Amino acid sequence: MDERKRKALEKQGWKIGSTAEFLDLSKSEAEYVEVKAALAHALSSKRRKMRLSQNAVASKLDSSQSRVAKMEAGDHTVSLDLLIRSFLKLGASTKELGQVISSAGEPLRKKRVVA
């Protein structure tokens, strides 16, 4: 957000902060959410790079297209375990997994897509 817009909003009484502040998340809770979001993004990027549909990925994972869509969206019903297993099952290396996890918290537009 540009500084001019930020000042205008603050002048109107709005408080500018992070999602973690708004939700009153602890540091570890915020990091968990960031890791989950980074893995969801990496799974989607990996699928696209492989030129696979969500249906094709679902078939590889013995799952459904709707479940893959939920994984890629970082839905709250999707476990971190499922995201990791799915990412690896699509051929990602443990090194790629480590890169995704270590990049969690960086803005997506600044991330180097490793998947």
Side-chain angles (χ1 to χ4, degrees), residues 47-87:
R47 176 182 65 79
R48 287 188 179 107
K49 184 177 180 185
M50 296 173 72
R51 297 176 189 247
L52 295 174
S53 67
Q54 288 181 342
N55 280 324
V57 170
S59 180
K60 283 181 173 282
L61 302 177
D62 296 322
S63 189
S64 66
Q65 177 276 325
S66 62
R67 193 71 179 149
V68 172
K70 286 181 179 185
M71 284 189 264
E72 291 183 359
D75 189 271
H76 73 279
T77 63
V78 176
S79 70
L80 201 52
D81 177 62
L82 179 59
L83 285 170
I84 291 170
R85 284 187 290 119
S86 299
F87 188 57

Side-chain angles (χ1 to χ4, degrees), residues 11-29:
K11 188 176 181 180
Q12 293 176 11
W14 291 95
K15 182 178 177 191
I16 309 300
S18 69
T19 305
E21 290 169 332
F22 179 74
L23 296 174
D24 195 27
L25 300 177
S26 69
K27 184 176 188 256
S28 62
E29 290 169 328

Side-chain angles (χ1 to χ4, degrees), residues 4 6-7 19 28 37 40 43 46 62-63 65-67 88 109-110:
R4 185 179 51 80
R6 175 187 284 273
K7 285 181 181 180
T19 305
S28 62
L43 183 66
K46 183 81 168 167
D62 296 322
S63 189
Q65 177 276 325
S66 62
R67 193 71 179 149
L88 293 172
R109 65 184 170 277
K110 291 185 178 179

